[in-house]
Amino acid sequence: MIVGLTGGIGSGKTTVAKMFHALGVPVYNSDIEAKKLMVTSEVLKVKIKELLGTESYIDHKLNRTYIADKIFTDPDLLAQLNAIVHPAVRQHFMSWVAQQKAAYIVQETAIIFENDTQNKFDKIILVTAPEKIRIERVTSRDAISADKVKERIENQWPDQKKAALSDYVINNLELDKTTVLVAEIHKQLLKFSSFTS
């Protein structure tokens, strides 16, 4: 069973993913794997340089600031980059899934509804937090301005719209409460996977 774990920038989905991992659930972090593939796949590197320019890489590493500045101010460019990277990540993810033996696995991914891939998941968990807190989290974590964070938030669907299409919603404000919620969802998912297997 494949469970999608999503949430906007700064919502704390990686924190939630770690909680599932601590419960023994295999977790695939799409963002980390995408960045690895963008560096290791020669095919992707050529396409990304064609789209965004040779400045996309410095010393064979992703020039993340340059890429972010280009794509988060241009939704069209972001969509084109996603069209290059997402299929490669999907292929890598499916080969990873084939190796797992757990009752269910979690795919942590920033965008599910935005690129219309919700039908690829058996269940979807949305992680939310108020915008003010999300901005505070990201500015202290990534050393970028509040305006840049707002730009990224505006490129994603609002939580209300995503919540209506999700099976579970975790409002990630207090770690203790989030931990309890994750444990409850974990139990429900184990039950659900035993019914469907």
Side-chain angles (χ1 to χ4, degrees):
M1 190 169 86
I2 299 174
V3 177
L5 175 67
T6 194
I9 186 169
S11 61
K13 65 185 172 300
T14 299
T15 301
V16 170
K18 284 175 183 166
M19 291 176 183
F20 278 102
H21 190 256
L23 293 167
V25 180
V27 175
Y28 182 96
N29 183 314
S30 299
D31 190 42
I32 288 172
E33 297 303 334
K35 286 185 176 75
K36 279 187 200 166
L37 288 168
M38 286 163 83
V39 172
T40 56
S41 164
E42 290 305 321
V43 175
L44 286 187
K45 279 163 89 170
V46 168
K47 287 181 179 175
I48 290 163
K49 283 178 186 174
E50 280 173 3
L51 179 68
L52 303 173
T54 51
E55 304 97 314
S56 306
Y57 293 85
I58 297 173
D59 298 329
H60 308 292
K61 287 182 186 150
L62 275 180
N63 185 349
R64 290 171 66 173
T65 310
Y66 169 82
I67 292 172
D69 284 347
K70 288 203 78 140
I71 63 173
F72 290 116
T73 52
D74 187 337
D76 208 41
L77 212 51
L78 176 62
Q80 287 179 68
L81 181 65
N82 285 341
I84 292 168
V85 178
H86 287 175
V89 174
R90 179 75 189 163
Q91 198 177 355
H92 185 265
F93 170 67
M94 291 316 292
S95 61
W96 176 84
V97 168
Q99 296 161 27
Q100 306 308 315
K101 301 280 184 279
Y104 74 93
I105 60 96
V106 167
Q107 182 180 16
E108 179 192 342
T109 179
I111 51 174
I112 288 178
F113 305 109
E114 290 89 338
N115 60 2
D116 196 27
T117 54
Q118 58 269 31
N119 60 343
K120 293 187 180 346
F121 300 93
D122 298 294
K123 295 283 179 187
I124 294 173
I125 303 164
L126 172 68
V127 183
T128 67
E131 189 173 301
K132 183 173 175 282
I133 289 170
R134 288 166 62 188
I135 291 168
E136 281 168 11
R137 284 174 181 168
V138 181
T139 50
S140 62
R141 180 190 76 193
D142 294 349
I144 60 171
S145 70
D147 286 342
K148 292 271 185 206
V149 182
K150 276 184 183 167
E151 258 174 32
R152 295 185 191 191
I153 288 171
E154 280 158 19
N155 271 309
Q156 297 177 335
W157 279 22
D159 284 344
Q160 203 177 351
K161 195 175 173 186
K162 289 189 278 197
L165 298 168
S166 301
D167 298 287
Y168 306 97
V169 178
I170 297 172
N171 193 16
N172 181 32
L173 282 173
E174 295 168 42
L175 277 180
D176 295 353
K177 288 182 180 173
T178 300
T179 307
V180 170
L181 253 178
V182 167
E184 282 173 12
I185 293 169
H186 176 59
K187 275 185 200 161
Q188 288 178 40
L189 290 171
L190 286 176
K191 268 188 200 162
F192 184 77
S193 68
S194 65
F195 289 139
T196 55
S197 60

